[in-house]
Amino acid sequence: MAFTFKRQIFGFMDLLRFKKMVPKRREKLAEGSSAPLPKTYRVNETAKILHPGYQSAKLTRIEQNTADTKTYTFETEHPFYFRAGQYVTLGCKVGESEVSRPYAISSAPKAALGRRVSLTVKKCGFFSGYLFDEAKVGDVFTLGDPSGDFCHEPVKDAEQLVGLAGGSGVTPFYSMAQAIADGTMDCALTLFYGAKTEAELIFKKELDALVSEKFKVVYVLSDEEKAGYEHGFIGADLIKKYVSGDFTAMLCGPAAMYAFADKELASLGLPLRRIKKEANCVGVRDIPPQTYTLTVHIGFDTYTVPADARETVLTALERAGLKVPAKCRAGGCGFCHSKLVSGSFLVAGADKRRIADKKFGYIHPCCSYPDSDMELIVPKA
Ligand code: FES
């Protein structure tokens, strides 16, 4: 094949420009300031303040909400930027153990910019029990970054949210109701809040005070007949009675409530993309006691710790006083992601690891029960 080349005037001009490029650059460099570049930039400083990783938080107030629920208010070191519906990991040293647990944030995002954040805790499990019985005003804790996607996503979710809350699962919805009231969250929320009795309802007075055009609350009692309340469980008929049009359902409560709500929401023809559930922490496995040994590599150090087969690998590490990364404690965030060198384990509930994690031997210690001695490489916290 024969090629024809055309002489192009513009190509010639490009060459001229190229020739001038070096002297022009020298000229521009000479014009520049000789002052050294700043060590940090304002945008990085702001990012550090908004997302410090971990920060200390001083307990400033404890309020009893119900017989087994208290709200703890902390003053944070930095403004604490979060979205209504998110959770945060609270931790401290209890005896020889490094303990932490995620709690949904019950205060408004606006208040947190003023360095005030509240967590509502139901008395159950080791750390919550410690908070309930031992924590006092003035104590200092560690607070992680806010996490989780149990939030309204304007692009993906309907403009109307339907919240299904069971017991202390009302916590993130209380934060949302405050955010709707102060205008920092732009959607409507109808909250169905279920409890056994009226006395077990947390934040009833506060929620009632927030009722508006955009926020409604329906209380549902399962074990008590009382005027002014709905009774039984939160089902399709009840939702149809109070809600019309398109909505995104957000569920926060015990696993039994999710199983019941799944069927009810399916009967309403709600597509799965319109259903969000807040994950529950992994609990204790119901098997006879059995102790295994974990060999754990963190950085250049190696530790040998005992592990109770009924508790997760993460709990064993914390009981041994090791500081290891953890946020959701439900297999969802991947923060505790660790390399398994040897040993066997059982995943609690659904295995939420990525395909690549399974292929290359990574586990989530937060939702893995040891089934033999194990060797692990765990990232530094
Ligand atoms: S702490 Fe979130 S996956 Fe383990």
Short mmCIF file of all heavy atoms in Angstrom, two decimals, residues 87 89 102 314 325-337 352 363-367, ligand 1:
data_model
loop_
_atom_site.label_atom_id
_atom_site.label_comp_id
_atom_site.label_asym_id
_atom_site.label_seq_id
_atom_site.Cartn_x
_atom_site.Cartn_y
_atom_site.Cartn_z
N TYR A 87 -23.48 4.88 62.99
CA TYR A 87 -23.06 4.41 64.30
C TYR A 87 -21.61 4.82 64.53
O TYR A 87 -20.92 5.28 63.61
CB TYR A 87 -23.21 2.89 64.42
CG TYR A 87 -22.27 2.10 63.53
CD1 TYR A 87 -20.96 1.83 63.92
CD2 TYR A 87 -22.68 1.64 62.29
CE1 TYR A 87 -20.10 1.12 63.11
CE2 TYR A 87 -21.83 0.92 61.47
CZ TYR A 87 -20.53 0.66 61.88
OH TYR A 87 -19.67 -0.04 61.07
N THR A 89 -17.94 3.61 67.00
CA THR A 89 -17.36 2.63 67.91
C THR A 89 -16.87 3.35 69.16
O THR A 89 -16.06 4.27 69.08
CB THR A 89 -16.18 1.91 67.24
OG1 THR A 89 -16.67 1.32 66.04
CG2 THR A 89 -15.61 0.82 68.12
N PRO A 102 -19.89 -1.03 68.74
CA PRO A 102 -20.55 0.04 67.97
C PRO A 102 -21.91 0.39 68.56
O PRO A 102 -22.66 -0.51 68.96
CB PRO A 102 -20.72 -0.62 66.58
CG PRO A 102 -20.76 -2.07 66.84
CD PRO A 102 -20.02 -2.35 68.12
N LEU A 314 -12.52 -11.94 67.50
CA LEU A 314 -12.30 -10.55 67.91
C LEU A 314 -12.43 -10.40 69.43
O LEU A 314 -11.60 -9.74 70.07
CB LEU A 314 -13.31 -9.63 67.20
CG LEU A 314 -13.24 -8.16 67.59
CD1 LEU A 314 -11.90 -7.54 67.21
CD2 LEU A 314 -14.37 -7.37 66.93
N PRO A 325 -8.29 -3.55 65.05
CA PRO A 325 -9.31 -2.71 64.41
C PRO A 325 -10.68 -3.38 64.39
O PRO A 325 -10.78 -4.58 64.10
CB PRO A 325 -8.78 -2.51 62.99
CG PRO A 325 -7.80 -3.59 62.77
CD PRO A 325 -7.29 -4.03 64.09
N ALA A 326 -11.72 -2.63 64.66
CA ALA A 326 -13.09 -3.15 64.58
C ALA A 326 -14.06 -1.98 64.55
O ALA A 326 -13.82 -0.97 65.21
CB ALA A 326 -13.41 -4.02 65.78
N LYS A 327 -15.11 -2.12 63.77
CA LYS A 327 -16.16 -1.08 63.76
C LYS A 327 -17.52 -1.71 63.95
O LYS A 327 -18.09 -1.66 65.01
CB LYS A 327 -16.11 -0.29 62.44
CG LYS A 327 -15.09 0.81 62.44
CD LYS A 327 -15.22 1.70 61.22
CE LYS A 327 -14.20 2.83 61.27
NZ LYS A 327 -14.26 3.67 60.09
N CYS A 328 -18.05 -2.34 62.89
CA CYS A 328 -19.45 -2.78 62.95
C CYS A 328 -19.69 -4.02 63.80
O CYS A 328 -20.77 -4.24 64.32
CB CYS A 328 -19.96 -3.06 61.54
SG CYS A 328 -19.19 -4.50 60.78
N ARG A 329 -18.68 -4.88 63.95
CA ARG A 329 -18.78 -6.16 64.66
C ARG A 329 -19.90 -7.03 64.09
O ARG A 329 -20.53 -7.80 64.79
CB ARG A 329 -18.99 -5.94 66.17
CG ARG A 329 -17.92 -5.11 66.80
CD ARG A 329 -18.14 -4.93 68.26
NE ARG A 329 -17.56 -6.02 69.02
CZ ARG A 329 -16.35 -6.03 69.51
NH1 ARG A 329 -15.57 -4.99 69.33
NH2 ARG A 329 -15.91 -7.07 70.19
N ALA A 330 -20.15 -6.90 62.81
CA ALA A 330 -21.22 -7.66 62.18
C ALA A 330 -20.82 -8.16 60.79
O ALA A 330 -21.65 -8.58 60.02
CB ALA A 330 -22.48 -6.80 62.08
N GLY A 331 -19.53 -8.05 60.46
CA GLY A 331 -19.06 -8.55 59.17
C GLY A 331 -19.32 -7.62 58.00
O GLY A 331 -19.06 -7.99 56.85
N GLY A 332 -19.80 -6.41 58.27
CA GLY A 332 -20.21 -5.54 57.17
C GLY A 332 -19.17 -4.53 56.70
O GLY A 332 -19.09 -4.23 55.52
N CYS A 333 -18.33 -4.01 57.61
CA CYS A 333 -17.46 -2.90 57.22
C CYS A 333 -16.09 -3.34 56.71
O CYS A 333 -15.42 -2.58 56.02
CB CYS A 333 -17.27 -1.95 58.41
SG CYS A 333 -16.25 -2.65 59.74
N GLY A 334 -15.67 -4.54 57.04
CA GLY A 334 -14.38 -5.05 56.58
C GLY A 334 -13.20 -4.47 57.34
O GLY A 334 -12.05 -4.71 56.99
N PHE A 335 -13.45 -3.72 58.39
CA PHE A 335 -12.39 -3.03 59.11
C PHE A 335 -11.46 -4.01 59.84
O PHE A 335 -10.29 -3.73 60.04
CB PHE A 335 -13.04 -2.05 60.09
CG PHE A 335 -12.19 -0.86 60.42
CD1 PHE A 335 -11.80 0.02 59.42
CD2 PHE A 335 -11.79 -0.61 61.72
CE1 PHE A 335 -11.02 1.11 59.72
CE2 PHE A 335 -11.00 0.48 62.03
CZ PHE A 335 -10.62 1.34 61.03
N CYS A 336 -12.00 -5.16 60.27
CA CYS A 336 -11.20 -6.11 61.05
C CYS A 336 -10.52 -7.16 60.18
O CYS A 336 -9.79 -8.03 60.68
CB CYS A 336 -12.08 -6.81 62.09
SG CYS A 336 -13.38 -7.80 61.35
N HIS A 337 -10.80 -7.15 58.90
CA HIS A 337 -10.23 -8.00 57.84
C HIS A 337 -8.81 -8.48 58.17
O HIS A 337 -7.89 -7.68 58.25
CB HIS A 337 -10.23 -7.07 56.61
CG HIS A 337 -9.80 -7.67 55.35
ND1 HIS A 337 -8.59 -7.37 54.77
CD2 HIS A 337 -10.41 -8.52 54.53
CE1 HIS A 337 -8.49 -8.00 53.63
NE2 HIS A 337 -9.58 -8.71 53.46
N LYS A 352 -20.28 -12.38 54.80
CA LYS A 352 -20.32 -11.15 54.00
C LYS A 352 -18.95 -10.83 53.38
O LYS A 352 -18.75 -9.71 52.89
CB LYS A 352 -20.78 -9.97 54.87
CG LYS A 352 -22.21 -10.15 55.38
CD LYS A 352 -22.60 -8.99 56.27
CE LYS A 352 -23.88 -9.30 57.01
NZ LYS A 352 -24.02 -8.53 58.23
N ILE A 363 -10.33 -13.41 56.76
CA ILE A 363 -11.54 -13.59 57.56
C ILE A 363 -11.90 -12.28 58.27
O ILE A 363 -11.07 -11.36 58.36
CB ILE A 363 -11.38 -14.72 58.61
CG1 ILE A 363 -10.36 -14.33 59.69
CG2 ILE A 363 -11.00 -16.04 57.95
CD1 ILE A 363 -10.43 -15.21 60.93
N HIS A 364 -13.10 -12.23 58.78
CA HIS A 364 -13.52 -11.12 59.64
C HIS A 364 -13.57 -11.66 61.07
O HIS A 364 -14.53 -12.37 61.42
CB HIS A 364 -14.90 -10.61 59.23
CG HIS A 364 -14.93 -9.91 57.92
ND1 HIS A 364 -16.04 -9.85 57.11
CD2 HIS A 364 -13.96 -9.23 57.26
CE1 HIS A 364 -15.75 -9.16 56.02
NE2 HIS A 364 -14.50 -8.78 56.09
N PRO A 365 -12.58 -11.36 61.90
CA PRO A 365 -12.57 -11.89 63.27
C PRO A 365 -13.83 -11.53 64.05
O PRO A 365 -14.23 -12.24 64.96
CB PRO A 365 -11.34 -11.24 63.90
CG PRO A 365 -10.44 -10.96 62.76
CD PRO A 365 -11.34 -10.61 61.61
N CYS A 366 -14.51 -10.43 63.68
CA CYS A 366 -15.69 -10.00 64.43
C CYS A 366 -16.85 -10.97 64.30
O CYS A 366 -17.76 -10.97 65.12
CB CYS A 366 -16.14 -8.62 63.99
SG CYS A 366 -16.81 -8.59 62.32
N CYS A 367 -16.86 -11.79 63.24
CA CYS A 367 -17.99 -12.71 63.09
C CYS A 367 -17.50 -14.12 62.77
O CYS A 367 -18.17 -14.86 62.06
CB CYS A 367 -18.99 -12.21 62.06
SG CYS A 367 -18.26 -11.82 60.50
S1 FES B 1 -15.68 -5.01 62.44
FE1 FES B 1 -16.78 -4.67 60.60
S2 FES B 1 -16.34 -6.45 59.45
FE2 FES B 1 -15.43 -6.85 61.37
#
